[in-house]
Amino acid sequence: MKVVKFGGSSMADAGQYRKIREILMADPERRVVVVSAAGKRFSGDHKITDLLYLCHAHTQYGVDCSNIFEMIRSRYLEIRDELGIKLDLESEFSALKSGLDRKMVSQDELASRGEYFSAKLMAAFLGFQFVDAADWIRFKFDGSVDQEASYALLKDRYKDFGIVIPGFYGMMPDGKIRTFTRGGSDITGALAAAALDADVYENWTDVSGILMADPRIVDDPQTIPQVTYDELRELSYSGAQVLHEGTIFPVREKNIPLNIRNTNAPNDPGTMIKEAFDGDSDPDRFITGITGKKDFSVISLSKRGLSGQVGYLRKVLSIFERHNVSIDYVPNGIDNVSVVMPTEAVSSSLYTIMAEIQKELEPDSLTVHDQIAVVAAVGRKMAFRPGISGKIFATLGEAGVNIRMINQGPDELNIIFGVDNKDFKTAIRVLYDSFVK
Ligand code: ASP
């Protein structure tokens, strides 16, 4: 059995619902469907979830939100009528509106209604059963999901026929609705797949998989056909955002493959994400993806004899810890060490941190560089293969890109390097051209 999740753009209008029905009919294993709220139909359109949050904010300040509410209501009624679905949504919408006017509907509950109405409609359209997320996703009081209880509840409800589940929310121990953070329907799908031990979790969106590089930087980048969970973690950490970050854990724990697919191009195989792959679909390709982020700061200190001092690294790092700054990289030399983190992370504490380093470590020199970009070339196949980093650095050198920092772990899953912000796009472009094209 396959769990299939459809994102907002896949749920945006009646035409998309029809595409989803085709996708389900093409494979009878696709029996558990998780849906998002209706997303944008065209650029400039509104996402239903955004409108719901906006509506709630209005009522909090005593401002009437009837116009926004009507935009939400009419989107769903339009889909229903165009598909000829018989379902009384009018009374549910008016009950919701009167609850809202009396300030009886929490922000999370209102935000969750986008998914709720999507799932109601989709279930009726497909002739599947509607299974409310509030009836099986259980949060603990600390906001984490009680997996054991949730899995047991869904297993109890699922009896091999088709079901549709609204994404994005569940229920707190006190019976209140709680949502995940934005984009959280991905997590609902992952939890459903894990609960029911699905053969695969298909995440349907509007792109044909994860791209090897950012399309705003590289023209028409290729799709990654296969990526491991570890590689994906590296790729998303350094910039590529594809799935909600909470998605991986439940499916990985159960060793369920995750397949990213395109609702608008259902024959494309998309990207397959697994723990490991046997065999190699493309033996000449060493790099899985190239990503990166701009705007890092590097704080560097040097002091003669530093490397002989026991505990100096701990002293440096504990200063950052004290200020609650999460550090990304710590490249070092014999008598110097640098600490790298997003500039934003030290925006309010930089001078205090510098003063404390000066006082506690008494370095010979202490400097800060900002406007640094971090670029990561990620690929499981780089390991134990001589010459890859040589090629990377030669390529960057030929393009006149100066490398400010290098970082590679012994697992050789990635090579990370720092360049000036101004060289960021060039670095990604030339690496892509030399390794992929
Ligand atoms: N509708 C929610 C959002 O826009 C959740 C989701 O689509 O995944 O964030």
Side-chain angles (χ1 to χ4, degrees):
M1 183 273 294
K2 295 176 181 173
V3 171
V4 287
K5 180 255 165 179
F6 292 92
S9 57
S10 306
M11 296 295 296
D13 59 25
Q16 296 298 80
Y17 276 58
R18 291 196 188 96
K19 286 185 197 167
I20 291 177
R21 186 168 61 185
E22 294 290 310
I23 290 167
L24 297 182
M25 277 173 23
D27 184 348
E29 290 297 309
R30 294 177 176 138
R31 285 199 295 275
V32 175
V33 183
V34 175
V35 293
S36 278
K40 294 184 182 185
R41 293 160 291 188
F42 43 84
S43 73
D45 194 16
H46 303 290
K47 290 177 75 164
I48 291 296
T49 311
D50 292 339
L51 296 178
L52 289 164
Y53 280 117
L54 194 61
C55 200
H56 193 265
H58 274 68
T59 57
Q60 280 325 88
Y61 292 102
V63 182
D64 178 52
C65 79
S66 300
N67 289 343
I68 303 169
F69 195 86
E70 186 45 36
M71 286 164 82
I72 298 163
R73 194 179 91 105
S74 60
R75 272 289 282 285
Y76 285 108
L77 296 187
E78 230 168 70
I79 295 175
R80 180 195 66 182
D81 295 341
E82 203 179 320
L83 295 172
I85 301 168
K86 300 264 166 296
L87 191 65
D88 173 23
L89 292 182
E90 281 86 346
S91 47
E92 291 211 50
F93 272 111
S94 58
L96 182 62
K97 183 68 169 54
S98 74
L100 197 59
D101 291 340
R102 284 176 289 128
K103 296 203 174 170
M104 305 273 286
V105 182
S106 73
Q107 174 177 282
D108 277 20
E109 184 179 351
L110 187 63
S112 76
R113 294 304 87 182
E115 272 64 18
Y116 172 85
F117 287 115
S118 277
K120 280 267 161 151
L121 275 177
M122 186 55 85
F125 179 57
L126 297 171
F128 281 18
Q129 191 181 320
F130 170 81
V131 173
D132 199 345
D135 289 341
W136 68 274
I137 293 188
R138 289 283 174 274
F139 287 101
K140 298 182 193 162
F141 272 118
D142 67 4
S144 63
V145 173
D146 182 342
Q147 289 191 2
E148 219 182 288
S150 306
Y151 292 180
L153 284 165
L154 183 60
K155 262 193 222 148
D156 237 28
R157 275 180 175 64
Y158 177 68
K159 300 274 178 281
D160 259 6
F161 39 73
I163 59 171
V164 182
I165 299 167
F168 194 37
Y169 68 94
M171 196 202 268
M172 289 295 278
D174 59 3
K176 295 212 169 79
I177 296 240
R178 181 189 171 105
T179 61
F180 293 108
T181 49
R182 295 300 305 267
S185 298
D186 286 342
I187 308 178
T188 310
L191 291 170
L196 303 174
D197 290 301
D199 299 311
V200 55
Y201 170 31
E202 291 180 345
N203 192 296
W204 292 78
T205 167
D206 52 7
V207 287
S208 291
I210 305 171
L211 299 172
M212 290 194 68
D214 186 337
R216 287 165 301 185
I217 299 175
V218 169
D219 286 336
D220 211 9
Q222 294 183 23
T223 304
I224 302 174
Q226 299 182 328
V227 59
T228 64
Y229 285 121
D230 284 334
E231 287 175 307
L232 184 68
R233 169 95 182 112
E234 297 286 345
L235 286 169
S236 15
Y237 185 72
S238 348
Q241 246 330 325
V242 222
L243 292 162
H244 190 291
E245 59 179 10
T247 314
I248 304 299
F249 184 70
V251 278
R252 187 174 188 178
E253 213 179 23
K254 292 263 185 129
N255 207 5
I256 299 170
L258 201 168
N259 189 194
I260 312 234
R261 299 288 292 264
N262 188 350
T263 303
N264 306 319
N267 294 325
D268 290 355
T271 298
M272 187 59 97
I273 308 161
K274 283 174 40 168
E275 195 61 50
F277 293 92
D278 349 304
D280 196 339
S281 62
D282 191 354
D284 298 329
R285 176 77 52 87
F286 300 122
I287 289 198
T288 303
I290 301 159
T291 126
K293 278 197 274 200
K294 291 196 335 191
D295 296 326
F296 282 80
S297 289
V298 182
I299 300 178
S300 306
L301 64 122
S302 70
K303 183 179 180 174
R304 245 167 290 134
L306 191 69
S307 65
Q309 281 183 26
V310 174
Y312 82 92
L313 204 53
R314 179 186 50 74
K315 280 187 204 153
V316 176
L317 298 183
S318 64
I319 294 173
F320 289 88
E321 187 178 354
R322 224 180 284 151
H323 291 277
N324 204 20
V325 173
S326 165
I327 291 163
D328 284 58
Y329 310 101
V330 190
N332 70 329
I334 303 294
D335 283 338
N336 59 68
V337 57
S338 299
V339 180
V340 185
M341 64 260 123
T343 304
E344 210 198 336
V346 282
S347 58
S348 59
S349 54
L350 180 66
Y351 296 118
T352 325
I353 288 175
M354 299 284 280
E356 289 175 18
I357 295 177
Q358 189 64 50
K359 184 157 162 259
E360 291 170 38
L361 286 124
E362 298 179 328
D364 298 329
S365 87
L366 178 62
T367 55
V368 191
H369 291 281
D370 48 20
Q371 311 264 343
I372 299 289
V374 168
V375 177
V378 178
R380 62 189 182 279
K381 289 187 272 175
M382 294 193 301
F384 309 109
R385 183 135 7 211
I388 304 280
S389 41
K391 188 170 169 195
I392 290 180
F393 298 129
T395 306
L396 293 170
E398 277 157 31
V401 174
N402 180 36
I403 299 172
R404 306 280 309 257
M405 162 194 109
I406 302 171
N407 192 77
Q408 187 194 35
D411 60 2
E412 298 184 67
L413 191 60
N414 58 23
I415 297 175
I416 291 168
F417 52 89
V419 298
D420 287 328
N421 266 354
K422 68 172 176 38
D423 290 331
F424 177 64
K425 289 186 177 171
T426 315
I428 290 187
R429 241 176 247 139
V430 297
L431 285 183
Y432 183 86
D433 288 348
S434 114
F435 278 92
V436 185
K437 267 197 187 156

